[in-house]
Amino acid sequence: MNILAIESSCDETAVAIVKDGREVLTDCIASQVDLHRIYGGVVPEIASRMHIEAIYALADQALEKAQLTRDQIDGIAVTYAPGLIGAVLVGVNFAKAVAMATNKPLIPVHHIRGHIAANYIAYPELKPPFLCLVVSGGHTMIVDVQDYTKMEILGTTLDDAAGECFDKVGRVLGMPYPGGAALDKAASMGDDSKYPLPRPNPGANPYDMSFSGLKTATLNLIHHAEQVEETIDTNSLCASFCKAVSDALVPRVIMALEQTGYKKLAVAGGVAANSRIRADILSAAADLGAEVYLPPLSLCGDNAAMIGAQGYYEFLAGNIADMKLNAYATKSILGEAL
Ligand code: KG4
Ligand code: ZN
């Protein structure tokens, strides 16, 4: 089954064609990052307008690259939630038009389920059940993936997502948007024990996390240094920050592995590209004898291939939408009825 997949929830317009949920025939991305960088973050209206301008040509390009005609597409998968609402609407409306014109099923895909499914592309042998640490720009949670379309959230951030904090700290340090990758690079040259940063334990659920206190503490440290005209060792602050984020994530994931008994751990989302988090997860999971699934960097960030992968399993589960499909800025990963 060839699925044409569309992703437009933030600042990447992406169209992919994925066969049977696992084989990427083509994966086209038009990134807007350079444009938003001028403003230090994503400007929603600009994002929507750029998606509209890019999406048609990108879909044509995807078909051409895969050497397929529209008749050879068997379904249209699209990110319908969550994301910047104007941006998601562009993809949903385009997908509806293609589904109507081709008379093929319209498959709504939750963006975060898509991030998890990036692992099905990277690891063809991976099948649920497994545990997944989701760390993206907008979400941070530990998910029990019981089946392709059946999940349970074990713990989640109670405030900011890890990616948001990377971007905010990066911005205050004068790094280009999005700050995560630059901060990661700087951290590799720093001393992670130089700056003491908090390790919050919020709420009653031991799997829940909090990042806003860490973000504020880091920003206060930078602002205080500026006020007293002290030079910050940026590389070491980045290293200390990455370690603090990793310390919030990795022990909770390990606890979840121990308590669920799972021996398979997948990681998903843009922050899964972080080298400190990757290294810490690999070594902690190895101690437990658990298998770790870390997508390549190209599949960590937003892309449409992951939407096509999850779309296949949503289709098999009968999750098909009609022309009334709407877009949502927020929606649970658990998949309540549309
Ligand atoms: O999953 P994603 O592409 O978009 C969302 O769905 O939110 O994640 C984007 C986030 C941004 O916050 C970006 O700074 C972060 O992923 N990111 C990183 C790294 N590469 C991207 N964070 C830490 N280390 C990285 N190497
Ligand atoms: Zn994403």
Side-chain angles (χ1 to χ4, degrees), residues 35-123:
L35 192 71
H36 296 293
R37 193 165 282 151
I38 305 165
Y39 304 95
V42 181
V43 182
E45 184 178 336
I46 294 179
S48 308
R49 291 179 184 279
M50 297 285 288
H51 286 311
I52 280 220
E53 284 178 20
I55 202 158
Y56 182 84
L58 212 61
D60 251 7
Q61 188 188 326
L63 285 167
E64 202 180 306
K65 277 197 180 161
Q67 296 193 310
L68 293 173
T69 63
R70 285 182 206 174
D71 295 342
Q72 291 168 298
I73 295 297
D74 306 302
I76 319 297
V78 63
T79 299
Y80 78 106
L84 299 172
I85 192 60
V88 189
L89 276 164
V90 173
V92 166
N93 223 22
F94 182 75
K96 280 183 176 183
V98 179
M100 190 184 245
T102 56
N103 202 21
K104 295 290 156 59
L106 176 65
I107 310 162
V109 176
H110 189 287
H111 180 78
I112 299 300
R113 287 188 179 203
H115 272 300
I116 296 173
N119 283 282
Y120 303 140
I121 297 168
Y123 300 98

Side-chain angles (χ1 to χ4, degrees), residues 111 115 136-138 163-164 166-167 178-181 184 269-271 273-275 300-302:
H111 180 78
H115 272 300
S136 74
E164 256 172 281
F166 271 102
D167 293 344
D184 187 3
V271 183
N274 185 266
S275 32
C300 287
D302 290 345

Side-chain angles (χ1 to χ4, degrees), residues 134-280:
V134 176
V135 267
S136 74
H139 293 77
T140 304
M141 51 187 156
I142 301 170
V143 183
D144 176 355
V145 184
Q146 296 163 354
D147 206 342
Y148 292 104
T149 57
K150 187 167 183 279
M151 326 192 169
E152 197 182 309
I153 299 169
L154 300 184
T156 180
T157 178
L158 299 181
D159 39 57
D160 296 349
E164 256 172 281
C165 298
F166 271 102
D167 293 344
K168 188 70 209 267
V169 171
R171 185 163 152 177
V172 172
L173 286 172
M175 292 169 171
Y177 169 84
L183 213 150
D184 187 3
K185 200 167 161 206
S188 66
M189 298 174 283
D191 168 8
D192 66 14
S193 62
K194 181 151 179 180
Y195 293 101
L197 293 171
R199 306 289 196 267
N201 280 313
N205 176 357
Y207 296 121
D208 281 346
M209 297 155 268
S210 161
F211 292 96
S212 75
L214 169 62
K215 178 183 76 182
T216 307
T218 313
L219 299 184
N220 284 347
L221 199 149
I222 299 166
H223 291 142
H224 176 75
E226 278 167 7
Q227 278 160 9
V228 298
E229 294 180 5
E230 207 176 272
T231 311
I232 287 262
D233 172 356
T234 304
N235 292 343
S236 294
L237 182 61
C238 292
S240 304
F241 179 79
C242 287
K243 183 172 181 345
V245 173
S246 185
D247 284 352
L249 299 170
V250 179
R252 286 181 169 83
V253 168
I254 295 303
M255 182 167 63
L257 280 174
E258 283 170 341
Q259 291 194 357
T260 57
Y262 281 142
K263 289 288 178 203
K264 291 193 278 186
L265 170 67
V267 190
V271 183
N274 185 266
S275 32
R276 176 70 196 238
I277 297 169
R278 291 172 89 90
D280 288 353

Side-chain angles (χ1 to χ4, degrees), residues 254 257 280-292:
I254 295 303
L257 280 174
D280 288 353
I281 282 185
L282 281 172
S283 78
D287 292 343
L288 275 185
E291 195 76 43
V292 178

